[in-house]
Amino acid sequence: MTAANQSHDHDADLPTMAAPYVPPPPEGPRSHMRPLGLADPFRWLARGLQDMRQHPGIALFYGLCFWGMAQVLALVFKHKPEYTLSLVSGCLLVGPFLAMGLYEVSRKRERGELPDMATSLMCWDQHIRSMAMLVLVLMVLELLWGRASLVVFAVFFNTGMPSTTGVIEAVFNPQNLEFILVYLAVGGVFAALVYGLSVVSIPMILDRDTDAISAVLTSMRVVFSHPGVMLLWGLLLSVLVLAALWPWALGIIVVGPWLGHASWHAYRGSVEWQEGPQEAVTLGSSN
């Protein structure tokens, strides 16, 4: 037998390589971004107002909880103003989780079910793992925000942390324009991160029982897909919350639940789910 034949026989004994591995298509529903317009945030507010009017007792309970958060914020500003910005981040963190009960009310109404206080309060118990991961991510951002806030105060007030009166004077003093700009810039960066990560992630976890990473990525996709609309939505949320803080934060009793219900409709109007190749189930209401 020639050397060529021996080599051919040896190659024939070797295992042949199968066809290249092609991963299977993803199973389960896939999310897609819905087209949005500048009128959509106002529609979300209108639908949120309808939900609140249908269940005023539940809305009042959550409104009082939001009002309590505002009172804690005012107390901290009075005694430890340097922690005010970080506490605002804490409210941005706690608020969406507290509003989860309001999301549940809106979700049940869409399904034609009757919402009640018990299921509203306990709607998170089946999503603890995903919610815990999201809490961890947002808590890290909150701690970084608090540290950055202290650094800004330390840089501009090297003689010590100012009192509440000192902070108010600093804000309205034109000579402290650099402090105001830096303080707002730092707060704006962290507020944008918290907003982008949570704008639809929490209602998505409640609705689809998805993992925290998928929910956060979907939330960021919504923001980057429609930056103008989501910027308008964020501005509306901020303006309404700030307006509700005067006087004595009493307006937050109404505005808090209203925005909670509206945030659910923001998720429903921003994300749709494709259940199969031929069937798309749209979660948002028609425009």
Side-chain angles (χ1 to χ4, degrees):
M1 182 181 292
T2 63
N5 291 334
Q6 290 179 349
S7 176
H8 177 75
D9 293 339
H10 178 71
D11 293 341
D13 294 337
L14 295 176
T16 57
M17 180 178 294
Y21 172 75
V22 178
E27 298 181 358
R30 287 174 289 175
S31 61
H32 298 275
M33 303 300 103
R34 284 175 51 84
L36 297 176
L38 294 178
D40 286 295
F42 299 97
R43 293 191 180 98
W44 302 337
L45 289 173
R47 291 168 185 149
L49 187 60
Q50 292 175 359
D51 291 347
M52 186 179 67
R53 286 176 173 174
Q54 291 297 319
H55 302 279
I58 297 177
L60 178 61
F61 169 79
Y62 285 100
L64 291 174
C65 292
F66 289 126
W67 181 78
M69 292 170 56
Q71 298 308 305
V72 172
L73 180 62
L75 188 64
V76 170
F77 179 74
K78 182 177 180 180
H79 297 283
K80 291 288 183 179
E82 66 272 16
Y83 289 103
T84 301
L85 188 58
S86 59
L87 190 63
V88 168
S89 70
C91 292
L92 291 175
L93 173 63
V94 175
F97 290 102
L98 185 61
M100 198 171 186
L102 297 167
Y103 304 155
E104 177 67 8
V105 172
S106 294
R107 187 172 76 99
K108 279 185 169 291
R109 288 198 69 235
E110 287 185 357
R111 293 185 173 188
E113 303 174 7
L114 182 63
D116 59 84
M117 181 65 75
T119 56
S120 174
L121 291 174
M122 299 302 297
C123 63
W124 52 268
D125 62 344
Q126 298 180 358
H127 315 283
I128 293 178
R129 294 182 62 182
S130 297
M131 296 300 293
M133 179 61 69
L134 188 56
V135 166
L136 179 61
V137 172
L138 296 179
M139 279 294 292
V140 171
L141 283 176
E142 200 276 337
L143 293 174
L144 290 175
W145 193 348
R147 178 59 60 181
S149 176
L150 291 176
V151 169
V152 172
F153 269 92
V155 169
F156 286 93
F157 297 93
N158 52 17
T159 58
M161 292 298 175
S163 62
T164 303
T165 304
V167 171
I168 296 176
E169 292 177 352
V171 169
F172 290 99
N173 189 344
Q175 296 180 354
N176 293 323
L177 181 61
E178 292 183 2
F179 162 73
I180 298 171
L181 294 177
V182 173
Y183 195 69
L184 293 178
V186 170
V189 168
F190 282 98
L193 284 174
V194 173
Y195 172 73
L197 294 177
S198 61
V199 63
V200 302
S201 58
I202 299 175
M204 178 176 165
I205 290 174
L206 175 66
D207 183 43
R208 310 297 300 194
D209 195 26
T210 185
D211 61 278
I213 295 177
S214 299
V216 166
L217 291 177
T218 301
S219 186
M220 296 303 294
R221 284 173 58 199
V222 170
V223 173
F224 285 112
S225 298
H226 307 285
V229 175
M230 300 315 293
L231 177 60
L232 174 61
W233 180 234
L235 289 174
L236 288 174
L237 295 177
S238 302
V239 170
L240 288 172
V241 169
L242 290 176
L245 295 178
W246 306 98
W248 304 293
L250 293 176
I252 204 69
I253 298 176
V254 175
V255 172
W258 177 23
L259 296 183
H261 289 299
S263 295
W264 169 260
H265 292 286
Y267 156 69
R268 299 284 275 181
S270 302
V271 183
E272 68 178 5
W273 294 88
Q274 184 178 354
E275 303 289 348
Q278 303 298 329
E279 179 182 7
V281 178
T282 299
L283 297 183
S285 304
S286 59
N287 293 328

